[in-house]
Amino acid sequence: MKRFVLLFVALFVLSGPALKAQETPTKKFIPPHGPTRPVPPPRNAIVLFDGKNTDAWTQLDGSPVKWDLSDGVLTVKPGTGNIITKQKFGDYRLHVEFRIPYMPDAHGQARGNSGVYNHGLYEVQILDSVNNPTYFAGGCGAIYGQRDPDENAALPPGQWQSYDIIFRAPRFDANGNLIEKPRITVIWNGVKVHDNVEIQGPTTASLHGPMVATGPIMLQDHGCPVSFRDIWIVPIKNALPNPPKKADK
């Protein structure tokens, strides 16, 4: 009997730490990505803004960026003008994270307005689109003036949102004639809102001019202190090939 008691005590002592470890609650799991967390760029990405500096950008006149850079966030300084990348790109995947300010006294296009211009010509609109109606193809996620997003994936102002844009540049023949218009896919906060859509031409308030094979990325100053973080781009070959043509019957 004495041996049995000693054996039981020994087993209890040895198993105690293990039982305690099992009973200790694990830390709450926090997903690595989400609206409040930046998405790390792929290894082959060109980082356009990582919170440290604006070396990849200039004002439209070539002067240094005048927007506010603080705590890793770049914010539009109203009245200073659009900014543009120094580098030009053809086909690519672009990741942009943005935060719209809370502007309850503003309405329509005056509430959190900015934009991401592909090739400096084709705008994907940024706007507070939570309980803020506006005109056709003018809300957040729209190809401005041409097409509304398939779904309103807007988050409330003050939260970080994201665009992942796959852009296919226009194609030209050997003589420089346009043979294929640009195409775009837009994933907004994880929701695909444009799927291989043909862009008809430059949108309002762009750099204007003709379609080009390569162009910069432009971010818009529309008078609202919209913020940006974690902007990167991956050049890709032959992005978004046209859908196959249906065989003739």
Side-chain angles (χ1 to χ4, degrees):
M1 182 67 179
K2 185 177 181 180
R3 290 182 179 179
F4 176 78
V5 172
L6 291 173
L7 179 61
F8 177 81
V9 171
L11 288 173
F12 179 82
V13 171
L14 290 173
S15 64
L19 290 172
K20 186 175 182 180
Q22 291 175 5
E23 292 168 359
T24 302
T26 57
K27 291 183 179 179
K28 182 180 180 182
F29 174 74
I30 300 175
H33 311 310
T36 60
R37 289 197 169 202
V39 176
R43 291 183 179 179
N44 59 340
I46 298 170
V47 176
L48 298 176
F49 178 67
D50 62 2
K52 298 176 183 177
N53 57 61
T54 56
D55 291 352
W57 303 81
T58 68
Q59 299 289 147
L60 291 182
D61 61 4
S63 62
V65 171
K66 298 179 178 65
W67 292 11
D68 295 321
L69 174 58
S70 179
D71 297 326
V73 173
L74 183 63
T75 301
V76 176
K77 187 175 182 180
T80 59
N82 299 353
I83 64 173
I84 197 168
T85 58
K86 296 176 181 178
Q87 190 170 349
K88 295 181 179 181
F89 307 94
D91 297 2
Y92 53 77
R93 174 192 172 192
L94 173 67
H95 178 83
V96 179
E97 299 187 16
F98 60 94
R99 184 177 63 196
I100 296 169
Y102 181 53
M103 303 177 68
D105 295 330
H107 303 281
Q109 293 293 303
R111 185 183 287 184
N113 196 325
S114 183
V116 179
Y117 287 78
N118 299 273
H119 278 197
L121 296 173
Y122 320 106
E123 181 185 12
V124 179
Q125 171 79 317
I126 291 175
L127 191 76
D128 182 358
S129 286
V130 176
N131 299 319
N132 183 39
T134 189
Y135 47 73
F136 167 76
C140 202
I143 300 170
Y144 189 80
Q146 297 186 23
R147 191 177 189 276
D148 277 321
D150 292 336
E151 184 175 336
N152 185 354
L155 296 176
Q159 294 190 28
W160 284 104
Q161 305 190 57
S162 66
Y163 284 151
D164 283 283
I165 297 170
I166 302 171
F167 179 79
R168 178 178 172 88
R171 293 325 198 229
F172 303 88
D173 65 17
N175 296 317
N177 299 310
L178 178 70
I179 56 175
E180 184 182 333
K181 292 180 179 180
R183 288 182 169 271
I184 194 169
T185 288
V186 180
I187 300 170
W188 174 20
N189 295 333
V191 179
K192 186 181 287 187
V193 296
H194 297 290
D195 188 3
N196 198 12
V197 172
E198 184 179 77
I199 301 174
Q200 298 307 308
T203 59
T204 305
S206 71
L207 293 178
H208 301 294
M211 294 184 176
V212 290
T214 63
I217 307 301
M218 183 170 73
L219 301 179
Q220 185 185 40
D221 168 14
H222 199 280
C224 300
V226 175
S227 297
F228 295 88
R229 71 176 186 187
D230 294 281
I231 306 173
W232 48 262
I233 193 168
V234 179
I236 49 182
K237 272 190 174 183
N238 298 319
L240 296 172
N242 284 334
K245 293 181 180 179
K246 293 182 180 180
D248 295 331
K249 293 183 180 179

